[in-house]
């Protein structure tokens, strides 16, 4: 299998901040809005260099979405920023009515997604945001896997005309994708070819899938690992090509199995190529307080859980 090297741990939210810094220097139409979380979103450099293009709306997330929708009418490209829970659940009506229904060119950028928010607990963690966003007609949903890919995704969505949900996280995780990568919306990335099982992962679970694939290789199992950074539109062709070769699939995500990446793939496969599938995801539950590592272990969202799911799905081929 292809070997990937951890270039040094970094948080994906810092990738967003780095992407915004570059956009501030290259795209004069990009503006940033934030709901009192500048430090958490890592956008201080953008603000320092472009103070006239930053809007601090305070703890008024619904108002932020309305302002962002209005800014698009004047040709601006607004990037809204707050925690994923407050970027989606708290403002779903505003996103649906003012952004998605109208097809506004708003980039909804959501940090601290999933349970790896950690000690802040279930009220701030969200495990249903991908489902909420992917159900909105015309909404693109992106969940990059590391710092480099988050930076590339942030830059890429500025050139896309239409609403986008960009999801990223708080903890420092392995940074392993190319520094100067080209990010293609809706195009899966083949990380390692294999013949026995397909592992499709998104976000923080991509690196965990690569670790699992190495452990499986030591057991004589050849795993194909695919990074699905864009959940909607889904790269169905890449998934179909892989499962027609391997005959089974494991999906891995830091999200509820209801409404997430795994559900999208299951629906697609049910109609196009029925395939044995196992889900590595939370099982219809809220999170709780704890360190990211403790929570990933408890809720079965790490390399050990992926390895176990692969061994199970292989018995169903």
């Amino acid at each position: 299998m292809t070997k990937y090297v951890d270039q040094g741990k970094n948080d994906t939210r810092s990738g967003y901040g780095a992407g915004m810094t570059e956009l501030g220097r290259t795209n004069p139409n990009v503006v940033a809005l934030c709901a009192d979380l500048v430090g958490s979103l890592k956008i201080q450099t953008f603000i320092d260099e472009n103070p006239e293009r930053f809007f601090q709306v305070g703890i008024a997330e619904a108002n932020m979405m309305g302002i962002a929708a209005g800014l698009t009418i004047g040709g601006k490209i607004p990037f809204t920023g707050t925690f994923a829970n407050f970027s989606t659940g708290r403002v779903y009506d505003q996103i649906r009515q003012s952004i998605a229904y109208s097809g506004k060119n708003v980039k909804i950028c959501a940090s601290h997604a999933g349970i790896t928010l950690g000690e802040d607990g279930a009220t701030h963690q969200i495990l249903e945001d991908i489902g909420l966003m992917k159900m909105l007609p015309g909404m693109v949903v992106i969940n990059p896997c590391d710092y480099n890919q988050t930076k590339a995704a942030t830059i890429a969505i500025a050139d896309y005309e239409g609403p986008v949900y960009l999801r990223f996280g708080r903890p420092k995780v392995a940074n392993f994708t190319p520094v100067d990568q080209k990010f293609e919306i809706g195009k899966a990335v083949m990380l390692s070819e294999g013949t026995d099982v397909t592992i499709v992962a998104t976000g923080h679970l991509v690196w965990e899938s690569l670790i699992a694939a190495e452990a499986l290789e030591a057991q004589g199992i050849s795993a194909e690992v695919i990074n699905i950074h864009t959940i909607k539109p889904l790269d169905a062709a890449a998934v179909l090509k892989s499962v027609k070769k391997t005959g089974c699939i494991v999906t891995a995500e830091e999200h509820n199995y209801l409404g997430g990446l795994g559900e999208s793939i299951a629906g697609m496969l049910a109609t196009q190529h029925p395939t044995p599938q196992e889900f590595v995801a939370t099982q219809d539950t809220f999170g709780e307080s704890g360190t990211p590592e403790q929570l990933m272990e408890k809720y079965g969202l790490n390399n050990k859980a992926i390895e176990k799911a692969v061994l199970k799905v292989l018995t169903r081929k």
Side-chain angles (χ1 to χ4, degrees), residues 234 236 239-240 243 249 262-277 279:
L234 179 68
V239 177
L240 284 167
V243 298
I249 186 169
E263 184 184 79
S264 289
I265 289 177
M268 182 273 293
L269 291 175
T271 58
Q272 299 192 47
H273 190 78
T275 305
Q277 178 177 348
F279 297 74

Side-chain angles (χ1 to χ4, degrees), residues 153-181:
T154 302
I155 295 166
I157 64 175
D159 292 328
Y160 173 83
E161 183 69 30
V164 175
Y165 179 61
L166 178 64
R167 180 191 207 247
F168 43 93
R170 176 190 188 185
K172 291 184 183 295
V173 295
N175 187 34
F176 60 96
T177 65
V179 174
D180 297 319
Q181 63 191 275

